[in-house]
C-alpha cells in the first residue's frame, strides 16, 4: 500500500469537532482527507468521523450560502460586462490591434479584483495616483462605468462578496486552520478572521536549506529531451519502486501537460490506450473543450449552425459519439464530396451542395436526414431556449453514442450538463442571444472549464508548482528550474500605478518578494522529499540558460549532465526483409490506374501497392481555391477550345485566348463554381491567359506543323494489360511524322526514360499505342511563372528542348521492355520501398513505410 501524500501528524493536534482545515487547492484537500482516513485505519478503528477539510474556494461558496449573501457574477460574466464597456468607449473608427477589447477586458477585470483584494480604496492617494497615469485614468473611467452598471442591475461580483464577508456581523466558523498558504490576499485574510472565532496558520514542514547529498541537477539541450528523461525516470520508478511516491513538478503545467503525457505514453507503451490506462495522476486537468466527448457535441452544434470547417466535419464523421456516418461507405462518400468540391467553409448553402454531391453514392444518408431537420437559425432567443434546441439536435445526431460510457466519459457528460445549466444564468445579463453568440458563450465556458476526472490513486503524481505545497514524496523531480519560474518573472498590471502594486506587495510585483516565495517553495519541497532532482533546458533561442539562482551557489556540488550518453527510452527493433505482397491471379483482376499506376510503381512499389492493391485512399487536401487537378483540367480544356476548328498556328489569334479560358472555367461543376470564391476564378483566368500567351510565343519559333487532333482516344495492350487514354494533342510535321504533346503546368523530368526504371511511363505508353507513326513525344510546359518549354525526345528536333534520338525504333523497344518489367513486378505483388526525394515528397503512405531520408537527393531537371 502506498504511503499517504500528506504527513497527518502535522495537523493532528489541531483537529477537533469545531475546527475546519482550509487548504489552498483541491489536491491538498484530498491528500489530507486520505491521510487522515489511513491514520484512523492504522489505529484499528472501523468507523470514525470524517475530518473537516476544505479548499478556500469551496469554503467561500459555503460561507456565501450560510451568510445568505446574493449569488455573484461568475468571472466570465464579469469579463463580458467589462468587454461591453470597453467596446462602447472606443471610437467607431478604432482599428483593433494589440488593443483587443477581449484582452483589455481580461486585464481590466484582474485589476478590478486587485483593487478590492488589496483594499486600495482605503489608500487616500489612490484616486490621485490613478489620475496621474494615462492608462490608469482610462481604466478608472471603465471601472466607474462597470460599478454603475452592476449597481443599476443589482449584480454582485466575487470581490464584492469577499468584502461583504469581511464586514459580516455573524460568525460562520469556530477554529479555522489555514494549511500551507503561500499566497493569501489581505481581503481574504480579513474575511476569514471576521467570520471565524480564531484563525491559525501552519506549515506542513519547516523550510530548510537544500541538502546537497540528496539533490541532483540535470541540464538538457531542448524541452523534448527533458520530458523524455522525465518519462523514462517515471517508467523506471514505476517498475522498480511501486511502493514509493514519485512527484513531477512542472511549473507551466497547463502549457506542457499534453506534451508530457505524450512522452509518458511513449515510455509506457500506451500511445493508443484510454485516459485511465496511464499509471499517473495529473493535478491539472485539460480544458473541457478538448475532451473528445464534449468536442464532438460542440462540433455537432457548429455543424447545425453552419460554422464547422471541412476538416472538422471529417473528424466528427469518424467520432464514436455520433451516428452521422453509419457505414464506411457513408464516410467515403462524404470524404469524396469534400475532396471534389473543396469548400472553404461549411455554411448552409455549402452543406446542401455537399449533400447533393453525396446523394450520387449514398441516396439517403444519416447525415443528410439529420442536416435537413436540425438546421439551427441565427434568430435571437434566451439561452434556455437555445439549450433546449441543442439537446434535441444532439439526440438526433446520436450523441453521446450507442455504446455505454466509461467512468471518464460519464464524468465528461456530467460536466457538459453542468455547463449547459450554468449557461442559462447568462439570461440575466441579456434577454435575447443570437444562436451564434450563444454558441460562442458555450465554447468560451468550456475553454475556461477544467476537466479533471477522478481516477485511482497512483504512485506517480504530476503537479504544478503551487499544488506541490504540503505534499510528501520519496522522490521529486522539479522541471524547468530556471529564473522565470523560480522566481517567477515580474508581471505588473498595466492599469494600476506601479508604485502601489509594489507598496501593497501584489503578486509578481516585487523581485525580492518573488525570490523569497520561490525559495520557500523549493526548500519546502526538498524538506518533504527523500531525494530531489532538478532539471532545466540549458539552451533557448540559441542562448545559454542558467539554472535558477536559488541553486547556483550549490551547483558545483551537483552532477550537472549536459547531454545524455544513452537513449532514455531504449527501443526494441525488429527487421523485416519481405518486400512482396500477394500476387495477381490474372492480369485482368486489377487493371486500375493505367499509366499513372505504372509510373508510381516504378517510383516506389510500396506506394502503388498501398494505393491500388490495399485500396488505401490518398489523403484529401481541402483546397481554398482550385485544386491542382482542377487547374490541370481547365488548362487542357482551354487549349482544346483555343484550337477548335483550327490546325495551323497562324489561325490562332490572341483575342481567342480569353474566351477559351472563360469557356474552360465554365466546365467546372456547378457546385464547385458556387463554392469557389470569385477571386479564385478571376485569378485563374488571368493566370491561364498569361501562360497561354507565353506558350504561343514558344510555338511560333517551331518549324511548320499542323495540329491533327485534341483529346484523341488511344488504346494499348501489353501482356494482357489494356491501357486506355486520351492524347492531349497530336501534331503532324512536314515529313508526315506524328508527335505527341502533353500539356503540363510543370513539366516532369524525363531522365528516367533512359534509365533503369521508367518512372514517367505516360508518354512512352502513348508512343507505343500509336505504333510506327509516332516519331516524338514531349511535355509542353504552360505556366505563368515558369518558362514555356518542351521537355521530350524524338527522331528529330521539333522544338527547343527536344532530345534527338537517331535510332528511334530501338528506343521504343527499350520502353516496351521496361514497361513489361514493371507489369511483371505488379503481377508478382512487388511492394518494396524505394525512398527518394521524388517518391517521398508527395507520398500519402509515409505512416506505413515510416522511412525518413537521411540525405535528400537532388532531383534532375531537363532543359
Amino acid at each position: 500500500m502506498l504511503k499517504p501524500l500528506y504527513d497527518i501528524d502535522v495537523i493532528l493536534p489541531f483537529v477537533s469537532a469545531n475546527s475546519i482545515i482550509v487548504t489552498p487547492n483541491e489536491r491538498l484537500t484530498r491528500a489530507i482527507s486520505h491521510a487522515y482516513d489511513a491514520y484512523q485505519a492504522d489505529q484499528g478503528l472501523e468507523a470514525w468521523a470524517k475530518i473537516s477539510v476544505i479548499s478556500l474556494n469551496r469554503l467561500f461558496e459555503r460561507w456565501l450560502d450560510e451568510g445568505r449573501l446574493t449569488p455573484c457574477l461568475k468571472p466570465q460574466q464579469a469579463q463580458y460586462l467589462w468587454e461591453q464597456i470597453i467596446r462602447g468607449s472606443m471610437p467607431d473608427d478604432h482599428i483593433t490591434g494589440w488593443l483587443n477589447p477581449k484582452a483589455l477586458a481580461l486585464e481590466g477585470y484582474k485589476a478590478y479584483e486587485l483593487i478590492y483584494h488589496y483594499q486600495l480604496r482605503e489608500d487616500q492617494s489612490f484616486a490621485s495616483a490613478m489620475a496621474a497615469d494615462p492608462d490608469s485614468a482610462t481604466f478608472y473611467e471603465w471601472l466607474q462605468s462597470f460599478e454603475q452598471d452592476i449597481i443599476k442591475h443589482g449584480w454582485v461580483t466575487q470581490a464584492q462578496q469577499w468584502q461583504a464577508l469581511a464586514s459580516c456581523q455573524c460568525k460562520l466558523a469556530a477554529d479555522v486552520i489555514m494549511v500551507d498558504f503561500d499566497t493569501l490576499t489581505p481581503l481574504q485574510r480579513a474575511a476569514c478572521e471576521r467570520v471565524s472565532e480564531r484563525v491559525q496558520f501552519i506549515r506542513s514542514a519547516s523550510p530548510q536549506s537544500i541538502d546537497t547529498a540528496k539533490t541532483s541537477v540535470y541540464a538538457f539541450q531542448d524541452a523534448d529531451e527533458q520530458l523524455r528523461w522525465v518519462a523514462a525516470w517515471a517508467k523506471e520508478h514505476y517498475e522498480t519502486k511501486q511502493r514509493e511516491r514519485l512527484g513531477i513538478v512542472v511549473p507551466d503545467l497547463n502549457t506542457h501537460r499534453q506534451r508530457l503525457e505524450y512522452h509518458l505514453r511513449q515510455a509506457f507503451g500506451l500511445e493508443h490506450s484510454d485516459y485511465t490506462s496511464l499509471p499517473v495522476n495529473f493535478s491539472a486537468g485539460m480544458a473541457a473543450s478538448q475532451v473528445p466527448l464534449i468536442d464532438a457535441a460542440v462540433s455537432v452544434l457548429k455543424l447545425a449552425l453552419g460554422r464547422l470547417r471541412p476538416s472538422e466535419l471529417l473528424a466528427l464523421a469518424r467520432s464514436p459519439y455520433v451516428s452521422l456516418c453509419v457505414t464506411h461507405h457513408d464516410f467515403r462518400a462524404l470524404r469524396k464530396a469534400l475532396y471534389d468540391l473543396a469548400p472553404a467553409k461549411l455554411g448552409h448553402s455549402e452543406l446542401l451542395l455537399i449533400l447533393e454531391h453525396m446523394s450520387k453514392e449514398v441516396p439517403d444518408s444519416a447525415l443528410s436526414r439529420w442536416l435537413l431537420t436540425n438546421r439551427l437559425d441565427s434568430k435571437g432567443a434566451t439561452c434556455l431556449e437555445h439549450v433546449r434546441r441543442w439537446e434535441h439536435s444532439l439526440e438526433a445526431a446520436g450523441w453521446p453514442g450507442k455504446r455505454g460510457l466509461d467512468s471518464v466519459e460519464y464524468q465528461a457528460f456530467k460536466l457538459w450538463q453542468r455547463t449547459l445549466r450554468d449557461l442559462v444564468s447568462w439570461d440575466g445579463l441579456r434577454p435575447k442571444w443570437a444562436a451564434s453568440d450563444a454558441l460562442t458563450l458555450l465554447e468560451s465556458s468550456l475553454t475556461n472549464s477544467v476537466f479533471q476526472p477522478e481516477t485511482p490513486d497512483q504512485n506517480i503524481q504530476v503537479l504544478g508548482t503551487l499544488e506541490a505545497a504540503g505534499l510528501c514524496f520519496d522522490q521529486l523531480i522539479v522541471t524547468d528550474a530556471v529564473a522565470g519560474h523560480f522566481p517567477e518573472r515580474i508581471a505588473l498590471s498595466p492599469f494600476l500605478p506601479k508604485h502601489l502594486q509594489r507598496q501593497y506587495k501584489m503578486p509578481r510585483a516585487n523581485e525580492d518578494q518573488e525570490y523569497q516565495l520561490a525559495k520557500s517553495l523549493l526548500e519546502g519541497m526538498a524538506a518533504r522529499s527523500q531525494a530531489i532532482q532538478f532539471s532545466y533546458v540549458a539552451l533557448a533561442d540559441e542562448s545559454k540558460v542558467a539554472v535558477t539562482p536559488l541553486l547556483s551557489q550549490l551547483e558545483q556540488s551537483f552532477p550537472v549532465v549536459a547531454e545524455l550518453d544513452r537513449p532514455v527510452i531504449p527501443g526494441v527493433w525488429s527487421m523485416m526483409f519481405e518486400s512482396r505482397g500477394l500476387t495477381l491471379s490474372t492480369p485482368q483482376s486489377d487493371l486500375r490506374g493505367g499509366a499513372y499506376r505504372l509510373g508510381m510503381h516504378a517510383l516506389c512499389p510500396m506506394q502503388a501497392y498501398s494505393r491500388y492493391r490495399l485500396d488505401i485512399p490518398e489523403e484529401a487536401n481541402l483546397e481554398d481555391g482550385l485544386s491542382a487537378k482542377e487547374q490541370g483540367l481547365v488548362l487542357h480544356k482551354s487549349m482544346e477550345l483555343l484550337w477548335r476548328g483550327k490546325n495551323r498556328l497562324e489561325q490562332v489569334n490572341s483575342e481567342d485566348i480569353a474566351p477559351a479560358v472563360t469557356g474552360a472555367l465554365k466546365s467546372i461543376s456547378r457546385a464547385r463554381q458556387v463554392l469557389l470564391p470569385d477571386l479564385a476564378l478571376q485569378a485563374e483566368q488571368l493566370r491561364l491567359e498569361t501562360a497561354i500567351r507565353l506558350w504561343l510565343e514558344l510555338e511560333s519559333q517551331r518549324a511548320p506543323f499542323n495540329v491533327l487532333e485534341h483529346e484523341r482516344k488511344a488504346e494499348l495492350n501489353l501482356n494482357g494489360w489494356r491501357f486506355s487514354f486520351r492524347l492531349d494533342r497530336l501534331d503532324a510535321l512536314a515529313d508526315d511524322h506524328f508527335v505527341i504533346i502533353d500539356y503540363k503546368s510543370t513539366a516532369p523530368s524525363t531522365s528516367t526514360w533512359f534509365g533503369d526504371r521508367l518512372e514517367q511511363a505516360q508518354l512512352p505508353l502513348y508512343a507505343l499505342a500509336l505504333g510506327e507513326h509516332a516519331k516524338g513525344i514531349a511535355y509542353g510546359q504552360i505556366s505563368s511563372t515558369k518558362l514555356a518549354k518542351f521537355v521530350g525526345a524524338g527522331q528529330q528536333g521539333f522544338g527547343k528542348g527536344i532530345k534527338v534520338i537517331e535510332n528511334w525504333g530501338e528506343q521504343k523497344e527499350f520502353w516496351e521492355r521496361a514497361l513489361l518489367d514493371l507489369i511483371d513486378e505488379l503481377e508478382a505483388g512487388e511492394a518494396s520501398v524505394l525512398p527518394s526525394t521524388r517518391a517521398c515528397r508527395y507520398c500519402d503512405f509515409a505512416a506505413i513505410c515510416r522511412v525518413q531520408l537521411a540525405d535528400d537527393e537532388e532531383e534532375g531537371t531537363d532543359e
Side-chain angles (χ1 to χ4, degrees):
M1 181 178 178
L2 290 171
K3 73 175 186 179
L5 278 167
Y6 188 79
D7 182 6
I8 200 64
D9 292 338
V10 175
I11 62 171
L12 281 178
F14 302 93
V15 176
S16 67
N18 296 323
S19 64
I20 300 176
I21 310 297
V22 184
T23 67
N25 57 68
E26 293 294 332
R27 173 56 65 96
L28 186 54
T29 296
R30 291 194 298 269
I32 291 176
S33 179
H34 293 161
Y36 184 78
D37 292 341
Y39 168 78
Q40 298 292 357
D42 290 343
Q43 302 305 307
L45 298 179
E46 296 183 357
W48 56 87
K50 297 290 289 185
I51 187 173
S52 180
V53 57
I54 191 171
S55 68
L56 182 61
N57 288 337
R58 293 289 178 88
L59 183 62
F60 169 64
E61 294 171 0
R62 180 196 293 181
W63 281 344
L64 291 184
D65 185 52
E66 293 177 356
R68 298 181 180 178
L69 300 176
T70 306
C72 56
L73 291 170
K74 294 178 174 60
Q76 187 183 354
Q77 294 172 332
Q79 290 171 34
Y80 171 80
L81 295 177
W82 271 93
E83 184 179 347
Q84 303 312 305
I85 291 169
I86 292 171
R87 288 185 185 276
S89 69
M90 289 182 171
D92 294 336
D93 59 350
H94 168 72
I95 300 176
T96 300
W98 71 271
L99 292 176
N100 181 281
K102 189 176 291 294
L104 290 174
L106 176 60
E107 290 298 328
Y109 176 69
K110 289 179 180 178
Y112 166 81
E113 290 264 297
L114 290 172
I115 289 173
Y116 271 84
H117 277 276
Y118 286 84
Q119 302 170 323
L120 292 188
R121 280 200 168 96
E122 297 179 8
D123 191 314
Q124 295 181 354
S125 67
F126 174 68
S128 58
M130 294 293 288
D133 181 80
D135 291 337
S136 299
T138 300
F139 163 76
Y140 198 50
E141 293 178 5
W142 296 339
L143 173 64
Q144 292 174 319
S145 298
F146 174 75
E147 292 184 328
Q148 291 170 4
D149 204 10
I150 61 177
I151 292 173
K152 175 183 176 182
H153 292 89
W155 297 324
V156 181
T157 65
Q158 285 187 353
Q160 289 175 323
Q161 294 293 47
W162 275 108
Q163 190 178 58
L165 285 173
S167 305
C168 187
Q169 298 300 318
C170 57
K171 295 297 181 181
L172 303 177
D175 291 342
V176 173
I177 314 300
M178 311 288 285
V179 180
D180 290 315
F181 274 86
D182 291 299
T183 56
L184 192 69
T185 69
L187 179 59
Q188 289 172 330
R189 179 187 288 267
C192 292
E193 292 175 346
R194 183 73 177 183
V195 300
S196 307
E197 298 287 349
R198 183 175 60 166
V199 177
Q200 299 182 70
F201 291 84
I202 65 171
R203 284 278 176 188
S204 298
S206 300
Q208 58 187 13
S209 299
I210 298 176
D211 184 0
T212 59
K214 65 175 187 178
T215 308
S216 299
V217 173
Y218 296 89
F220 298 94
Q221 293 182 350
D222 59 56
D224 275 321
E225 184 184 45
Q226 177 183 226
L227 295 180
R228 280 194 297 269
W229 171 78
V230 170
W233 189 290
K235 171 82 176 320
E236 181 180 354
H237 181 276
Y238 179 75
E239 292 178 342
T240 60
K241 302 176 182 178
Q242 294 193 3
R243 298 181 64 85
E244 294 187 5
R245 293 278 189 181
L246 171 64
I248 302 171
V249 176
V250 183
D252 197 359
L253 183 54
N254 288 329
T255 300
H256 299 299
R257 182 193 188 284
Q258 287 187 325
R259 197 65 189 164
L260 175 58
E261 183 177 350
Y262 167 80
H263 286 294
L264 286 168
R265 288 186 175 277
Q266 288 281 323
F268 282 89
L270 298 171
E271 296 93 327
H272 306 293
S273 301
D274 61 20
Y275 185 92
T276 59
S277 61
L278 196 64
V280 177
N281 291 136
F282 285 87
S283 67
M286 65 181 74
S289 57
Q290 297 176 346
V291 179
L293 178 77
I294 294 176
D295 178 63
V298 173
S299 295
V300 169
L301 301 181
K302 289 168 67 177
L303 177 62
L305 199 59
R307 282 179 48 182
L308 205 64
R309 294 193 298 268
S311 58
E312 293 173 330
L313 177 55
L314 284 176
L316 179 64
R318 288 192 293 261
S319 172
Y321 304 113
V322 297
S323 304
L324 296 179
C325 283
V326 181
T327 67
H328 183 62
H329 184 58
D330 291 350
F331 175 75
R332 293 191 66 172
L334 172 63
R335 187 175 183 275
K336 185 177 186 302
L338 290 172
Y339 178 73
D340 291 344
L341 301 180
K345 60 178 183 177
L346 288 177
H348 292 306
S349 58
E350 289 85 0
L351 285 170
L352 290 176
L353 291 170
I354 295 293
L355 296 181
E356 180 183 346
H357 198 84
M358 281 184 64
S359 65
K360 299 173 184 177
E361 297 190 29
V362 185
D364 185 29
S365 67
L367 177 61
S368 301
R369 294 194 300 272
W370 182 85
L371 281 171
L372 294 175
T373 57
N374 288 274
R375 173 179 171 179
L376 295 177
D377 55 41
S378 58
K379 293 180 180 178
T382 65
C383 285
L384 177 59
E385 291 170 334
H386 286 303
V387 166
R388 288 172 176 169
R389 293 172 187 168
W390 294 344
E391 290 176 336
H392 175 76
S393 295
L394 288 170
E395 182 181 0
W399 187 87
K402 295 181 180 179
R403 63 178 179 81
L405 301 179
D406 60 28
S407 172
V408 173
E409 290 169 337
Y410 180 74
Q411 292 177 64
F413 178 74
K414 300 302 289 185
L415 174 60
W416 169 264
Q417 292 183 316
R418 290 195 301 272
T419 305
L420 290 185
R421 286 197 300 269
D422 291 343
L423 194 70
V424 176
S425 66
W426 285 81
D427 286 335
L429 275 69
R430 208 168 82 185
K432 297 287 184 180
W433 298 84
S436 58
D437 291 340
L439 185 55
T440 299
L441 284 181
L442 176 65
E443 292 182 274
S444 179
S445 296
L446 292 169
T447 300
N448 293 320
S449 298
V450 176
F451 176 65
Q452 188 173 5
E454 294 183 12
T455 54
D457 186 29
Q458 304 288 352
N459 67 334
I460 303 173
Q461 305 284 317
V462 178
L463 316 102
T465 305
L466 296 178
E467 292 157 329
L471 302 184
C472 300
F473 296 96
D474 295 288
Q475 295 193 48
L476 187 68
I477 298 173
V478 181
T479 66
D480 294 328
V482 296
H485 293 305
F486 304 101
E488 287 200 82
R489 295 182 180 88
I490 299 304
L492 296 168
S493 169
F495 293 136
L496 298 178
K498 295 179 176 58
H499 73 278
L500 287 181
Q501 295 183 61
R502 295 191 177 98
Q503 177 184 338
Y504 284 87
K505 298 181 179 180
M506 293 184 184
R508 302 179 69 178
N510 182 278
E511 291 85 352
D512 292 338
Q513 176 182 319
E514 292 303 314
Y515 183 88
Q516 292 302 322
L517 175 59
K519 184 173 184 292
S520 175
L521 287 171
L522 291 183
E523 290 179 346
M525 292 177 192
R528 294 187 298 271
S529 305
Q530 300 301 314
I532 185 168
Q533 324 289 333
F534 293 97
S535 69
Y536 69 102
V537 177
L539 190 67
D541 298 327
E542 299 184 358
S543 299
K544 289 185 178 180
V545 178
V547 71
T548 168
L550 290 161
L551 300 176
S552 60
Q553 57 183 341
L554 304 174
E555 186 177 355
Q556 298 303 319
S557 304
F558 296 157
V560 179
V561 180
E563 184 176 358
L564 296 180
D565 57 0
R566 59 182 176 82
V568 293
I569 304 177
V572 178
W573 296 88
S574 59
M575 187 171 292
M576 295 180 61
F577 296 95
E578 182 58 57
S579 64
R580 290 192 174 183
L582 299 176
T583 60
L584 288 172
S585 56
T586 61
Q588 290 77 16
S589 63
D590 188 351
L591 302 179
R592 293 172 299 154
Y596 181 74
R597 179 177 181 178
L598 283 180
M600 180 183 287
H601 180 87
L603 196 62
C604 179
M606 185 280 299
Q607 288 191 38
Y609 192 89
S610 300
R611 176 67 181 88
Y612 294 101
R613 296 294 303 279
L614 299 181
D615 201 26
I616 300 174
E618 296 175 336
E619 182 179 355
N621 296 316
L622 305 181
E623 308 281 353
D624 290 334
L626 272 73
S627 66
K629 180 179 179 182
E630 287 173 328
Q631 289 179 325
L633 292 174
V634 172
L635 168 61
H636 287 76
K637 190 65 176 179
S638 297
M639 296 302 294
E640 179 187 356
L641 294 176
L642 180 65
W643 280 96
R644 182 170 291 176
K646 312 177 186 72
N647 58 12
R648 295 192 304 277
L649 184 61
E650 57 267 23
Q651 295 173 329
V652 179
N653 299 315
S654 59
E655 295 81 7
D656 298 333
I657 298 175
V661 176
T662 302
L665 287 170
K666 290 180 179 179
S667 66
I668 298 175
S669 69
R670 180 185 65 85
R672 278 295 284 152
Q673 290 187 50
V674 172
L675 293 174
L676 284 168
D678 292 338
L679 183 62
L681 295 172
Q682 295 169 7
E684 187 64 15
Q685 175 88 28
L686 295 175
R687 186 189 74 81
L688 268 182
E689 288 182 20
T690 301
I692 293 173
R693 287 193 181 93
L694 294 174
W695 170 254
L696 292 179
E697 290 178 10
L698 175 67
E699 294 247 77
S700 66
Q701 302 171 20
R702 293 177 57 190
F705 64 92
N706 288 332
V707 175
L708 298 181
E709 290 185 79
H710 270 88
E711 302 297 321
R712 173 178 172 170
K713 293 182 179 180
E715 288 188 354
L716 176 66
N717 191 307
L718 280 177
N719 199 28
W721 286 64
R722 179 171 297 176
F723 299 91
S724 299
F725 27 71
R726 289 178 180 270
L727 312 183
D728 288 356
R729 186 170 123 188
L730 188 64
D731 286 4
L733 305 182
D735 52 4
D736 293 331
H737 286 174
F738 294 166
V739 295
I740 303 166
I741 297 175
D742 191 73
Y743 302 126
K744 299 288 185 186
S745 58
T746 300
S749 168
T750 59
S751 60
T752 64
W753 284 358
F754 316 102
D756 296 333
R757 296 183 68 80
L758 192 58
E759 294 175 6
Q760 294 294 334
Q762 180 185 9
L763 288 185
L765 276 170
Y766 293 179
L768 295 177
L770 290 189
E772 61 182 14
H773 299 289
K775 300 296 185 180
I777 53 177
Y779 294 112
Q781 180 168 288
I782 304 179
S783 172
S784 60
T785 58
K786 304 182 184 74
L787 290 175
K789 65 177 181 179
F790 286 103
V791 179
Q795 186 169 310
Q796 60 178 281
F798 53 88
K800 184 180 179 181
I802 300 300
K803 182 176 182 178
V804 177
I805 300 177
E806 295 181 0
N807 201 329
W808 180 251
E810 289 184 5
Q811 181 62 50
K812 291 174 66 176
E813 290 176 3
F814 172 81
W815 286 337
E816 183 174 5
R817 288 194 301 271
L819 290 166
L820 289 173
D821 289 342
L822 292 177
I823 289 173
D824 288 342
E825 290 185 9
L826 281 172
E827 293 180 353
E830 181 64 36
S832 56
V833 179
L834 298 181
S836 67
T837 301
R838 293 189 298 273
C840 299
R841 181 177 297 162
Y842 303 111
C843 178
D844 292 302
F845 312 106
I848 299 174
C849 75
R850 294 181 290 182
V851 169
Q852 182 177 2
L853 292 180
D855 298 304
D856 288 339
E857 60 182 352
E858 293 294 328
E859 183 174 1
T861 59
D862 298 290
E863 295 297 337

